[in-house]
Amino acid sequence: MNQKVTHRQMVLMLMLLSITGTLLQPHAQAIFYAEQHAYLCYIPVVLIMLTSMWMLSRVQRRFPDKDLFESLVTRFPFLGRVAGLMYIAFFFFVFARDIRLTGDYVSITLLETTPISIIVLSLLVMAIFIVRGGLGSLIGMVELYVVLFLLNSIIVPFMLIQQIDLDNLKPYFDVDFAGVGTGSWYLFSFYGEMIVLPFVIKGSDFRVKSILTGNIVTGLLMMLIVIETITSIGVPIASRLVYPSYELARQLQISDFLDRFDLALAAATLPCIITKIAFDLYFVCWGLKRMIPKVSGKVLTGPIALLGFVCAFWFFRNAIQLNRFTREWTWIAIVFEVIFPIVFFLFLRPRKKKAQYAPNPESGERASRGKQQEGEQKQEQASGESDHSEGKSEEKSGEKSAEKSIEKKGKTSHGGGNLQPS
């Protein structure tokens, strides 16, 4: 059964799914192509995802008590399962990519001497325990750590005042639209992973208001982070970094005592990334449970996590290969984040009721009136028959009493004649 989700929780989950992956990798690629106007790359991405999520919200309104997995399976038993399995395979790949990306990020920035396999296994153990708690534990993690990340994002600009150089944004109005479009291409596949939400949330909780708020807040926050990166680090350096967000955190210096403030930011950011990994794993297990009802999602959690661990190192041998695959990955992501929502919007509708089960209300009233009249006539006939039968019974009783009186008279007269003298 789906857990009820509030407006606030919906917005925070949208932010979690869109921010975590985008924050780590594709900003450097967007800055490389769009240069000082890389923040504009989020405008077409936000508009496209708003359209896709709006179409899915319209679909969910047709099935208010079901999630999208259940709607697909009940409406189209075969094709719905095929589409559901394709989404499961897509997000299993996202799960493997995320744990590989996070493992490289932690290994490069924080734990340089620790083997990456140990780091990834530690992340998977935490993700497994979160998923076993169900959607409620995931929502609890989201409400705690995404809010903490938002607070950090609001505080960071005030700490970067000394490092900010607005000249890095010049020329302000000389926009390379081709470069902005290419940057949007690299950002789209990461930002569009919010498409997973209607599959785990029932239709009545998937609201347009939450979609609009979450997309706008997330887009503005990511644009702010890109502007901070460009103004504090510069386009030439930021475009060649593997993890520009980490380098942005290293620019923060409150005093000589806290010259490694990046550790505090990592302490707030890493739980969000782990929660995102757990959400990917939860989606895969939940989808398999919906496709195969007899399968237990909790039992599948461990094996699927280990399979993702193996595939993470099988698909990507190093961080460079992971970084270069973003360009090709967008072609695949468009199918699941744009094309399938359009198909669902056009074809996924409830079954129409047959005419005999849904008559015209006027004809129904006429039929009911006719039935009432027939019933009244039958009652009148029945009452008439009962009166007629009562009259007959009274007549019969009168005839019988008359016959008895005649017999009695005959008997008395016959007896009296015998007593007369002859």
Side-chain angles (χ1 to χ4, degrees):
M1 183 177 179
N2 299 90
Q3 181 172 336
K4 185 173 180 59
V5 179
T6 63
H7 169 71
R8 182 190 71 258
Q9 293 169 348
M10 179 82 171
V11 172
L12 292 176
M13 283 192 288
L14 277 168
M15 297 180 68
L16 173 80
L17 295 169
S18 301
I19 287 175
T20 48
T22 314
L23 186 66
L24 291 181
Q25 182 175 329
H27 275 176
Q29 296 164 321
I31 295 172
F32 179 79
Y33 288 102
E35 297 181 345
Q36 72 272 17
H37 297 106
Y39 59 91
L40 296 177
C41 297
Y42 277 101
I43 295 178
V45 172
V46 170
L47 292 177
I48 293 172
M49 287 312 302
L50 267 176
T51 307
S52 294
M53 296 294 281
W54 175 81
M55 288 189 289
L56 290 181
S57 70
R58 298 291 296 180
V59 172
Q60 288 292 82
R61 286 180 62 182
R62 302 167 190 166
F63 305 91
D65 298 327
K66 300 177 182 179
D67 56 60
L68 196 52
F69 271 131
E70 194 174 1
S71 303
L72 286 170
V73 172
T74 54
R75 184 63 182 88
F76 301 104
F78 176 72
L79 293 178
R81 281 183 168 83
V82 171
L85 290 173
M86 291 176 69
Y87 267 97
I88 291 170
F90 174 75
F91 276 96
F92 176 78
F93 190 92
V94 172
F95 169 67
R97 183 208 66 193
D98 284 346
I99 58 177
R100 186 71 169 93
L101 180 62
T102 308
D104 282 325
Y105 175 75
V106 175
S107 177
I108 293 172
T109 59
L110 299 175
L111 305 175
E112 298 179 359
T113 59
T114 306
I116 188 173
S117 58
I118 302 300
I119 296 173
V120 173
L121 279 176
S122 302
L123 296 174
L124 284 179
V125 170
M126 289 184 280
I128 288 171
F129 279 105
I130 295 171
V131 173
R132 284 181 176 272
L135 187 60
S137 62
L138 279 170
I139 293 174
M141 296 279 289
V142 168
E143 288 185 307
L144 176 62
Y145 291 111
V146 175
V147 172
L148 184 60
F149 177 80
L150 283 173
L151 292 176
N152 285 332
S153 301
I154 295 171
I155 294 171
V156 164
F158 297 100
M159 299 179 181
L160 285 171
I161 291 176
Q162 295 180 353
Q163 285 81 18
I164 285 178
D165 184 8
L166 293 178
D167 291 337
N168 292 330
L169 293 175
K170 292 181 179 178
Y172 299 118
F173 302 106
D174 186 14
V175 181
D176 181 10
F177 290 101
V180 170
T182 307
S184 301
W185 178 266
Y186 281 92
L187 293 173
F188 179 76
S189 61
F190 289 86
Y191 188 88
E193 290 174 11
M194 64 174 72
I195 207 75
V196 72
L197 279 179
F199 288 91
V200 297
I201 297 175
K202 63 181 181 180
S204 58
D205 296 335
F206 196 71
R207 307 176 188 89
V208 179
K209 180 182 176 181
S210 304
I211 296 168
L212 183 63
T213 306
N215 268 280
I216 292 176
V217 173
T218 305
L220 292 176
L221 180 61
M222 300 307 290
M223 291 170 72
L224 176 63
I225 293 174
V226 173
I227 292 173
E228 292 172 359
T229 305
I230 295 172
T231 54
S232 60
I233 301 174
V235 172
I237 298 175
S239 61
R240 287 168 173 80
L241 293 173
V242 180
Y243 303 113
S245 58
Y246 175 71
E247 190 63 29
L248 176 65
R250 290 184 62 186
Q251 301 296 316
L252 302 175
Q253 290 183 359
I254 299 177
S255 64
D256 294 336
F257 177 70
L258 289 176
D259 59 343
R260 286 301 304 273
F261 194 74
D262 56 312
L263 297 177
L265 288 180
T269 306
L270 274 178
C272 292
I273 299 173
I274 295 171
T275 306
K276 168 62 166 57
I277 293 172
F279 209 104
D280 296 337
L281 180 59
Y282 175 82
F283 174 81
V284 175
C285 297
W286 177 260
L288 289 174
K289 185 180 183 303
R290 283 300 195 194
M291 297 297 105
I292 312 171
K294 295 182 180 180
V295 172
S296 173
K298 284 188 176 181
V299 174
L300 289 175
T301 305
I304 289 175
L306 291 177
L307 181 62
F309 171 77
V310 174
C311 292
F313 292 96
W314 179 29
F315 295 158
F316 308 104
R317 289 178 291 180
N318 49 49
I320 297 174
Q321 191 180 39
L322 183 65
N323 191 35
R324 289 178 177 175
F325 185 66
T326 306
R327 181 180 61 185
E328 288 77 15
W329 178 243
T330 306
W331 286 109
I332 303 172
I334 284 176
V335 175
F336 294 94
E337 296 171 6
V338 177
I339 296 177
F340 272 175
I342 295 174
V343 174
F344 295 158
F345 177 73
L346 294 177
F347 297 102
L348 189 58
R349 300 177 183 275
R351 295 182 183 275
K352 293 183 179 180
K353 295 181 180 180
K354 295 181 180 180
Q356 59 182 354
Y357 295 108
N360 191 6
E362 295 181 357
S363 62
E365 291 178 358
R366 293 173 183 173
S368 62
R369 289 175 184 174
K371 288 181 180 179
Q372 289 178 358
Q373 292 176 358
E374 289 178 359
E376 290 176 356
Q377 291 176 0
K378 288 181 180 179
Q379 288 179 357
E380 291 176 357
Q381 290 177 359
S383 61
E385 290 176 356
S386 63
D387 294 339
H388 185 66
S389 61
E390 288 177 358
K392 286 183 178 181
S393 60
E394 290 177 355
E395 289 176 358
K396 289 181 181 179
S397 61
E399 290 176 357
K400 288 181 180 179
S401 61
E403 289 176 357
K404 288 181 180 179
S405 62
I406 293 169
E407 288 177 357
K408 287 180 179 179
K409 289 179 180 179
K411 288 180 181 178
T412 54
S413 62
H414 181 72
N418 291 334
L419 290 177
Q420 291 179 358
S422 54

